[in-house]
Amino acid sequence: MTFDADMIKEQYLTAVKKAWLTAEASFPAFLCEIPTERKLVNEAFISHSRTRLQEPLKGVPKIPWRRKRWKGDLLKLVGEILYQETIINLHSFLEREELAAFQEELMEFMRQARSFSPELSFEEIGQALRNYIVYVMFKKIHQDNSGFSRAGFGYSMLYPFTDNFIDNVAASSQEKAKYNRMIRNKLQGRAVSQKTIHHKKTCDLLKAIEADFPRETCPMTSQLLLMMLDAQELSLSQQDGATLLSPGSRLDISLYKGGISVLIDRYFVRKELTEEDILFYTGMGFFLQLADDLQDIQEDSERGYQTLFTLDLNPSHEEELVNRSLHFIHNIMSSYRAENNRFKDFVLLNCYQLVYTSILRSKAFFSEEYLERIERLLPVTRGYYDSFHKEMAINLGLENQGQYMKLLDELIAP
């Protein structure tokens, strides 16, 4: 189908906005509690898996044949954990061959990421990888088994290059405007001056997208990316503490930025894009933007960023927003007819879990009563999650970056 920017804004984003405003604000009754016994089984599995991984993750053997054996054993162990894990149960929604292909596609993404930009931190690679995983999930919903995508890679890698620069408090508004102007010129087919390595790599990622979706045959590629650029520029107003944004303005910015960002992911899936797809994926993008803002309440409020979640920091307001978010994603998922409904159900379950864990990242802004209700929905106890999350943050700290990067490079080497 053909569509343009005005159609997306006026028709689809307006429909998503209506769905949001009419979503219920009560605590959802459709969420399933997880018994304590199951939580303890899950915790035991996680602890046992961590113990099994401790020895091989201590370091890479120096002797070549031992290094080869180490890699084979570690990959086998990771595969076993994926096939046996009791938390997200991905193996219950994918055949063994599909799961192996999924694992290899993510390995190829990391190979390309490390080769393209070895200076990226674990956090930045993780940010790009998470977006690529979302893209792969969309491919599974549409039964697209095309494998590693250069366009998906380029678009996912743009996140640590563009979003982090836009959010960088050390960069001036003039620098940000100049950077965005360079991207706009590139997308419009104009000559650009790549004065920094950051500018050059941004252009290289845009070239990777165009290699799969050429401007001549796929004109919507540049149109969608220009819309995403517009949304990012508009979101800069959320960082301007001098101008107070209304609730409606904050909602519109989140709708636009979130909706377009995920619609682009769907556009790169090798299946025809329908009107129902546009409505669903703009809604999904808005939901993911809400989840992102939910987990960043503390940081955003300290910086003065104006999101829906920093409008009113009282627990009652935050809890109502979360309830509405859960009803919203439940409603749009239920009404969407997917090519692979079973995998769509898997994505929905993970959307719920994303909200739960985002709440725990911002637990200071929620009442104890609400946190107790959320804990009953978690696959592990709240105490276990907190300790695990804290330990992971320490292990992946800057002082350990070099060691883990060496392990990663050895593991993903072809």
Side-chain angles (χ1 to χ4, degrees):
M1 65 169 293
T2 58
F3 55 92
D4 56 32
D6 289 338
M7 182 188 297
I8 293 173
K9 292 178 185 177
E10 296 170 8
Q11 183 174 335
Y12 299 105
L13 289 179
T14 298
V16 172
K17 183 176 183 178
K18 182 179 179 180
W20 165 254
L21 293 174
T22 56
E24 293 183 41
S26 59
F27 193 86
F30 52 77
L31 301 175
C32 297
E33 295 186 4
I34 299 178
T36 301
E37 295 77 12
R38 171 50 58 180
K39 295 179 191 289
L40 296 178
V41 169
N42 292 337
E43 291 176 4
F45 179 83
I46 295 172
S47 298
H48 179 60
S49 297
R50 291 174 67 192
T51 300
R52 296 176 70 192
L53 287 166
Q54 280 179 352
E55 186 61 34
L57 290 180
K58 285 182 179 179
V60 182
K62 291 184 171 59
I63 302 174
W65 69 266
R66 286 185 177 175
R67 189 159 59 240
K68 183 178 180 180
R69 182 177 177 179
W70 168 87
K71 177 181 176 179
D73 290 345
L74 183 53
L75 286 175
K76 181 180 178 182
L77 177 56
V78 171
E80 288 177 3
I81 292 173
L82 282 175
Y83 294 132
Q84 299 168 2
E85 59 87 12
T86 59
I87 313 300
I88 64 173
N89 288 307
L90 178 59
H91 54 86
S92 297
F93 295 86
L94 294 177
E95 299 294 335
R96 181 173 287 266
E97 296 77 14
E98 290 180 302
L99 190 55
F102 176 78
Q103 185 178 349
E104 178 52 37
E105 187 168 351
L106 298 189
M107 294 271 283
E108 180 60 25
F109 178 91
M110 289 187 285
R111 290 185 197 107
Q112 296 290 335
R114 289 292 290 147
S115 173
F116 178 78
S117 192
E119 75 279 4
L120 290 182
S121 67
F122 250 100
E123 182 179 356
E124 290 168 324
I125 292 176
Q127 181 185 19
L129 180 63
R130 284 192 297 274
N131 188 82
Y132 193 82
I133 289 173
V134 169
Y135 163 67
V136 174
M137 286 185 169
F138 296 163
K139 289 204 297 180
K140 292 300 179 185
I141 286 178
H142 293 278
Q143 298 178 329
D144 171 7
N145 299 312
S146 55
F148 178 75
S149 164
R150 289 177 297 175
F153 169 79
Y155 183 55
S156 296
M157 287 291 287
L158 278 173
Y159 275 78
F161 277 87
T162 59
D163 271 18
N164 293 355
F165 184 78
I166 296 302
D167 290 339
N168 185 3
V169 293
S172 67
S173 57
Q174 292 82 4
E175 289 174 313
K176 294 176 182 179
K178 186 176 181 180
Y179 179 63
N180 282 345
R181 189 162 54 248
M182 183 272 296
I183 296 176
R184 185 176 299 278
N185 288 335
K186 177 67 177 174
L187 290 172
Q188 292 176 335
R190 300 173 182 171
V192 297
S193 175
Q194 302 171 23
K195 294 184 178 180
T196 69
I197 188 65
H198 187 259
H199 285 201
K200 180 183 183 303
K201 289 196 173 185
T202 300
C203 288
D204 287 342
L205 292 171
L206 293 173
K207 288 177 184 176
I209 295 173
E210 192 171 351
D212 275 359
F213 294 85
R215 181 189 309 273
E216 297 75 18
T217 56
C218 305
M220 274 312 304
T221 305
S222 57
Q223 291 185 48
L224 285 171
L225 290 171
L226 282 168
M227 290 182 71
M228 188 66 231
L229 183 62
D230 287 339
Q232 286 181 319
E233 290 177 339
L234 186 61
S235 71
L236 288 175
S237 62
Q238 293 180 297
Q239 302 178 16
D240 182 11
T243 304
L244 183 63
L245 297 178
S246 68
S249 295
R250 299 182 193 211
L251 172 58
D252 288 339
I253 291 171
S254 295
L255 272 167
Y256 193 24
K257 184 179 180 183
I260 297 303
S261 68
V262 169
L263 180 59
I264 294 173
D265 279 314
R266 168 59 186 91
Y267 181 72
F268 293 149
V269 175
R270 299 288 187 174
K271 289 293 182 75
E272 181 183 357
L273 187 65
T274 67
E275 290 189 7
E276 189 180 14
D277 288 338
I278 298 176
L279 184 61
F280 173 72
Y281 284 100
T282 50
M284 170 66 80
F286 172 55
F287 166 79
L288 292 176
Q289 182 64 53
L290 289 173
D292 191 50
D293 292 339
L294 168 59
Q295 69 177 6
D296 290 338
I297 296 176
Q298 182 74 47
E299 183 178 358
D300 286 346
S301 61
E302 290 174 354
R303 290 183 174 183
Y305 288 3
Q306 302 180 68
T307 70
L308 288 174
F309 282 98
T310 60
L311 179 66
D312 182 347
L313 299 178
N314 286 316
S316 59
H317 174 261
E318 309 294 33
E319 290 162 13
E320 181 178 319
L321 278 180
V322 169
N323 292 344
R324 197 182 294 275
S325 299
L326 290 165
H327 278 287
F328 173 79
I329 192 63
H330 175 80
N331 293 340
I332 66 169
M333 280 280 195
S334 299
S335 61
Y336 180 62
R337 296 169 297 175
E339 293 172 73
N340 186 343
N341 273 311
R342 193 160 177 269
F343 199 80
K344 184 194 74 171
D345 293 340
F346 168 77
V347 173
L348 177 58
L349 292 174
N350 279 274
C351 285
Y352 295 155
Q353 290 296 331
L354 174 62
V355 171
Y356 307 156
T357 55
S358 295
I359 290 170
L360 296 186
R361 297 280 294 274
S362 297
K363 60 184 178 182
F365 301 92
F366 292 85
S367 67
E368 181 59 30
E369 179 186 2
Y370 195 84
L371 291 173
E372 288 175 358
R373 298 186 79 172
I374 293 300
E375 181 171 16
R376 291 196 286 270
L377 306 169
L378 289 168
V380 296
T381 60
R382 203 191 333 166
Y384 189 89
Y385 173 85
D386 288 341
S387 61
F388 180 82
H389 186 266
K390 185 181 297 184
E391 188 172 340
M392 287 295 293
I394 294 173
N395 289 340
L396 296 177
L398 290 176
E399 64 276 10
N400 295 323
Q401 290 274 315
Q403 175 191 351
Y404 283 111
M405 283 297 188
K406 184 178 179 181
L407 286 168
L408 175 63
D409 288 339
E410 191 66 34
L411 193 61
I412 64 178

